[in-house]
Amino acid sequence: MEVSHAIGSYIYDTNGKRYLDFVAGVSACTLGHQPKRVNDAIKEQLDKYSHVMVYGEYSQSPAVEFCKLLASLLPEPLKKTYLVNSGTEATEGALKLARRVTGRSQLISCYNAYHGNTMGSMSVMGFEERKQPFRPLVPDVDFITFNNEDDLQKITTKTAGIILESIQGGAGFIEPENDFLVKVRKRCDEVGALMIIDEIQPGFGRTGKLFGFENYNCVPDVIILGKGMGGGMPVGAFVASEAHMGLLSDNPKLGHITTFGGHPVIAAASLATLKEITETNLITETLAKEKLFRSLLVHPLITEIRGKGLMLAAMTQHPEITNKVILKCQEKGLILFWLLFEGCAIRITPPLTVSESEIREGCAIILEAMNEVQNEI
């Protein structure tokens, strides 16, 4: 498909065909395509200045205002934000910060976790098939199973930090169970390790809260942001306490550096996106939209629907079924997608702005495609 243009919940190809978008750039286009408030902010900033100096050298109001607003919306002690260019770069910064704060080297992640694709991020990816061609990676990394409380004993006084998603994305949109994140928090406190929560997919309103961890009664030491943060623009960030983040200033000085982090045009887009999300009812509406999806997507080929809010995965019995449904839906004008490690999952992550009528339209296409697949098998 060659894209001609996109607006709202729809993408148009160069043949004039319209596609309803239930993927939102893999959860990145929080406000749909061409959101006016974001576009206006980008154009206004472009007329003032774009890149002027390496991040931090000069005060640039879009980045300052965004970080102030974000700090006001986050619980203590998550008040200091380091802006970067992507989610994987945010992961790299968070892993460095854990080692700098603790003076330890060991990192712990989860099997089937995905935190990005650069070398450090890949080192904490819990999927060997994707890592093996690029080894050797960062050493001293161990893995636990998400929701397995017995594995928490692997977090020890040698552990710098544990990184995990508030909802596992690539693994199949798996939520924490039995206060798992609370128990991770407790174990980290016992041994002095940092708890790093990856909010790149759940973040910015997708789960009915501004951030996924807020659903699970726990406050991490570091959060990692990306995807939906910029309203479709490339951006990332990691957030920690002022005391922890300040350690990146010394021993060595400039302990983390990025040329384009905090780029004023991207920061203006992020600020407009965050204002639109928090000044409207979009966050609370995600839960009502989730209920509508669940009520409509009832079919013999669907074994369950995982996830929360507008971070949903319709599960089938076999990857071949999932494959056929996704491809048939695209033919019928609906964009769905796959998950990285769970072949049975159909990704449903539309923009938060998706309407009730668009949800009904898309679900009707999914059921039509599933009927066809069912007849074929």
Side-chain angles (χ1 to χ4, degrees), residues 53-115:
M53 188 53 167
V54 172
Y55 178 39
E57 291 295 320
Y58 300 161
S59 178
Q60 300 171 50
S61 61
V64 172
E65 292 306 310
F66 172 78
C67 292
K68 279 184 177 180
L69 178 56
L70 186 59
S72 74
L73 297 166
L74 284 167
E76 293 286 351
L78 299 170
K79 296 298 178 182
K80 196 155 190 176
T81 298
Y82 197 115
L83 295 170
V84 292
N85 307 287
S86 65
T88 191
E89 188 185 330
T91 298
E92 300 282 347
L95 297 178
K96 286 174 65 178
L97 182 61
R99 286 184 165 181
R100 178 66 182 83
V101 169
T102 63
R104 306 170 184 175
S105 63
Q106 187 193 51
L107 300 166
I108 292 178
S109 185
C110 291
Y111 293 112
N112 291 330
Y114 181 78
H115 301 288

Side-chain angles (χ1 to χ4, degrees), residues 102-352:
T102 63
R104 306 170 184 175
S105 63
Q106 187 193 51
L107 300 166
I108 292 178
S109 185
C110 291
Y111 293 112
N112 291 330
Y114 181 78
H115 301 288
N117 225 38
T118 46
M119 295 298 276
S121 301
M122 191 181 296
S123 301
V124 293
M125 182 195 300
F127 199 77
E128 185 59 30
E129 181 183 324
R130 296 183 68 89
K131 294 161 63 170
Q132 187 56 45
F134 306 103
R135 286 192 176 280
L137 298 171
V138 174
D140 208 1
V141 177
D142 201 358
F143 291 87
I144 67 171
T145 299
F146 197 76
N147 283 327
N148 186 328
E149 295 175 28
D150 293 338
D151 276 3
L152 297 185
Q153 294 308 306
K154 288 187 176 182
I155 307 171
T156 70
T157 52
K158 295 180 180 179
T159 306
I162 177 170
I163 180 171
L164 64 172
E165 301 151 274
S166 55
I167 298 176
Q168 276 205 305
F173 289 8
I174 298 171
E175 290 190 75
E177 299 171 354
N178 301 317
D179 288 328
F180 182 67
L181 294 187
V182 174
K183 292 165 183 173
V184 174
R185 171 76 276 174
K186 182 173 182 290
R187 182 61 180 164
C188 286
D189 290 340
E190 290 170 353
V191 301
L194 262 60
M195 182 181 184
I196 304 167
I197 290 287
D198 181 342
E199 287 287 346
I200 292 171
Q201 284 204 69
F204 294 95
R206 190 156 285 281
T207 67
K209 298 282 188 181
L210 187 57
F211 297 106
F213 74 84
E214 295 176 293
N215 291 296
Y216 307 110
N217 302 311
C218 117
V219 178
D221 297 294
V222 187
I223 59 172
I224 299 170
L225 309 176
K227 285 193 184 296
M229 176 176 165
M233 299 296 280
V235 68
F238 58 108
V239 186
S241 68
E242 186 170 357
H244 284 170
M245 197 72 83
L247 294 176
L248 291 178
S249 299
D250 297 295
N251 297 317
K253 287 189 179 296
L254 303 177
H256 197 65
I257 317 171
T258 169
T259 297
F260 289 115
H263 190 287
V265 176
I266 305 299
S270 299
L271 177 60
T273 300
L274 185 56
K275 284 182 175 180
E276 185 68 15
I277 292 169
T278 56
E279 292 173 3
T280 63
N281 296 321
L282 285 173
I283 294 178
T284 54
E285 287 173 0
T286 61
L287 298 179
K289 291 170 182 178
E290 175 193 352
K291 287 181 181 177
L292 182 57
F293 268 112
R294 289 183 180 275
S295 70
L296 294 171
L297 290 179
V298 178
H299 193 278
L301 293 186
I302 298 176
T303 58
E304 64 173 313
I305 296 178
R306 295 181 186 167
K308 194 173 186 65
L310 290 177
M311 183 177 174
L312 301 174
M315 308 300 295
T316 72
Q317 291 180 332
H318 195 277
E320 187 179 350
I321 296 173
T322 290
N323 231 26
K324 286 183 175 181
V325 170
I326 291 172
L327 295 174
K328 280 183 179 291
C329 283
Q330 177 147 329
E331 291 173 7
K332 297 174 183 294
L334 173 68
I335 297 173
L336 301 169
F337 213 60
W338 298 263
L339 297 184
L340 269 178
F341 311 136
E342 174 51 83
C344 293
I346 300 171
R347 171 190 282 275
I348 303 172
T349 55
L352 304 193

